[in-house]
Amino acid sequence: MSDPNCFLWLEGVFDEDTMFAFPTISPASNAWQKGFLAGLNQLGHKAEIIGFPYERIWPFGRLSVGCRQAALANGLSGTVVGYNNIPFLRDAFRYRNMLSAAENYFRNSEKKPDYQIVYSCLVRATDETPSIRLANYIRDHYDVPWICIHADGEAPPGADGYVYLPWSNYQAAPASQSSIHIDGGVPEIETRDSETSVTNEVPVEKILMYMGALTPHGGVTQLARAFSKINDEEIQLWICGRGENPELKRIAEVDQRIKLHGFVEENELHRLANKAFAFANPRPNSFAPNKLNYPSKVLLYLAYGKPVISTFTDGLSPEYGDVLIPIKDETDECLNEAIKEVLNMKEGEYKDIRYRIAKFNETHTWVYQCKRFTSWLDKRM
């Protein structure tokens, strides 16, 4: 193993209280980065964070975001910066305060970081976030290369290396570009409840569960609509996530088998998921942005070792074909059939797919993926 690396991570990664206090922060992005950083830490690498919590622009959000209003996730080291949240100027304030924190970090550090990391979700490649602007400044003034973790949208130009979450973006990357495909790691799920342990073979209750955004890009409305057409009083659909969706609420009011749990604490999410029979990722390919992102909830689903019905958007790599149950196309009828297929699985079928998921998970832990990442860095340099 090569010597441990030191990373400067130019994005906030926050604790659960901060996630509830700032609804604009993406739970999926925060969880992905927290998992990646935990994997690096287990391998002996170090990371220093400089970032800020995302807030809707004033007057829809706070006029001023204070550095003490947010806290980094447990076990992480770094600086949270605040900013004035006024229109047209807030990115300038974010950059100035991040730059000040970075200059302070370099003044007080015994050695400079080996790499700086930017987690990117740009709508347009020509956009420049405060993190990208700062990464370019640090490279120019301190000679620290920056690595772009491209999670969504279009990749920014100018990074020294690219980690692609979406398979489609990795496939389309220029041959001259230094890049690697790492869509994420399967989190380690802990449970103290033996009755809902992930080791149980076949749950008694036929519960299908969805976790994620309640907005159209996740496909949750169509999922609920297709579920409601199944004539079986013994099945349930549990939905956990953040956002407003009047149509989904209306469907749930009519069909009492559909339970809307909202955005819940992590322990409660695990408790519910451990009771589920199967999970659903109905993200539609017809929604154009889904061609440029990766549905990271799939890896969370697989952590529970249970069947997952899923559309196959362009962001998913072909290796998932052996562990996901495909929704053949994006019609309500096909979604309806996939739901019935998974909830009516025989015991032998259920155990077989659980075995395949377990084998898949062995090579998709965060530590495994972080080893791939650091090996790639060693070869790249």
Side-chain angles (χ1 to χ4, degrees):
M1 177 180 172
S2 59
D3 293 335
N5 287 305
C6 179
F7 298 95
L8 181 59
W9 197 275
L10 301 180
E11 184 75 27
V13 184
F14 300 105
D15 66 6
E16 196 166 14
D17 288 343
T18 303
M19 296 299 296
F20 277 93
F22 289 87
T24 307
I25 299 173
S26 165
S29 296
N30 198 75
W32 195 99
Q33 293 176 84
K34 189 160 63 171
F36 196 93
L37 285 162
L40 290 174
N41 183 61
Q42 288 183 59
L43 292 172
H45 304 284
K46 304 296 182 183
E48 184 76 9
I49 292 171
I50 298 176
F52 54 82
Y54 288 91
E55 173 74 328
R56 291 187 68 191
I57 201 160
W58 184 82
F60 306 102
R62 300 170 176 86
L63 175 60
S64 177
V65 176
C67 61
R68 295 183 180 179
Q69 292 175 315
L72 298 177
N74 291 339
L76 300 183
S77 172
T79 303
V80 177
V81 302
Y83 55 92
N84 291 324
N85 194 32
I86 58 178
F88 306 112
L89 294 176
R90 71 169 177 179
D91 273 356
F93 285 117
R94 287 169 168 175
Y95 171 72
R96 185 193 68 182
N97 293 344
M98 286 185 73
L99 175 60
S100 177
E103 296 282 16
N104 186 62
Y105 166 74
F106 279 99
R107 279 194 302 270
N108 293 290
S109 296
E110 294 182 1
K111 65 183 290 289
K112 69 180 182 181
D114 299 288
Y115 299 94
Q116 45 179 334
I117 306 290
V118 172
Y119 186 90
S120 175
C121 299
L122 293 183
V123 176
R124 294 176 297 273
T126 53
D127 293 342
E128 185 183 57
T129 65
S131 297
I132 293 172
R133 185 180 174 188
L134 180 58
N136 285 319
Y137 175 90
I138 291 173
R139 182 175 56 192
D140 292 343
H141 289 77
Y142 295 97
D143 194 30
V144 179
W146 70 277
I147 306 299
C148 173
I149 295 180
H150 174 67
D152 200 348
E154 297 185 359
D160 298 287
Y162 291 82
V163 177
Y164 286 100
L165 276 63
W167 177 254
S168 50
N169 294 70
Y170 174 68
Q171 291 293 97
S176 59
Q177 188 182 90
S178 180
S179 60
I180 185 173
H181 175 251
I182 299 177
D183 50 27
V186 176
E188 296 181 7
I189 302 299
E190 296 181 3
T191 175
R192 296 182 177 88
D193 187 348
S194 60
E195 293 183 1
T196 62
S197 169
V198 296
T199 62
N200 280 350
E201 291 293 342
V202 183
V204 175
E205 293 183 282
K206 295 297 183 74
I207 298 165
L208 181 67
M209 187 169 179
Y210 170 93
M211 308 178 198
L214 305 188
T215 48
H217 81 272
V220 65
T221 306
Q222 186 183 20
L223 176 67
R225 193 166 59 236
F227 179 91
S228 67
K229 295 176 182 177
I230 300 174
N231 185 22
D232 184 345
E233 292 303 317
E234 300 302 315
I235 64 175
Q236 297 179 57
L237 173 61
W238 290 358
I239 297 172
C240 294
R242 175 180 276 168
E244 295 294 327
N245 189 323
E247 184 180 354
L248 177 64
K249 185 177 180 181
R250 180 188 60 78
I251 296 171
E253 288 172 349
V254 174
D255 190 339
Q256 298 300 308
R257 300 171 303 168
I258 301 175
K259 313 295 183 184
L260 304 182
H261 292 277
F263 186 63
V264 299
E265 293 183 354
E266 189 172 317
N267 287 341
E268 175 66 3
L269 186 70
H270 291 332
R271 187 188 72 81
L272 295 171
N274 280 319
K275 291 178 177 291
F277 186 90
F279 299 94
N281 172 48
R283 183 173 296 202
N285 240 324
S286 56
F287 187 70
N290 284 344
K291 298 179 183 296
L292 299 174
N293 61 32
Y294 166 74
S296 58
K297 70 164 65 69
V298 168
L299 288 169
L300 176 57
Y301 289 165
L302 293 176
Y304 296 96
K306 299 174 183 179
V308 181
I309 61 170
S310 181
T311 52
F312 274 74
T313 50
D314 294 346
L316 276 172
S317 72
E319 64 181 339
Y320 287 89
D322 193 46
V323 292
L324 301 180
I325 299 169
I327 300 169
K328 295 177 182 177
D329 65 44
E330 296 173 16
T331 63
D332 285 7
E333 291 74 18
C334 282
L335 188 48
N336 181 291
E337 288 301 316
I339 295 170
K340 289 190 289 187
E341 177 186 348
V342 72
L343 293 181
N344 290 324
M345 270 187 169
K346 303 299 184 184
E347 184 174 351
E349 296 175 290
Y350 197 87
K351 289 182 177 180
D352 175 66
I353 197 163
R354 292 201 72 170
Y355 174 78
R356 284 185 275 137
I357 290 170
K359 298 301 290 183
F360 178 92
N361 288 356
E362 289 175 3
T363 57
H364 287 79
T365 65
W366 277 116
V367 168
Y368 182 92
Q369 298 287 44
C370 288
K371 283 181 180 177
R372 291 183 58 228
F373 171 67
T374 54
S375 296
W376 167 72
L377 286 179
D378 291 341
K379 293 174 183 177
R380 193 194 69 83
M381 297 305 289

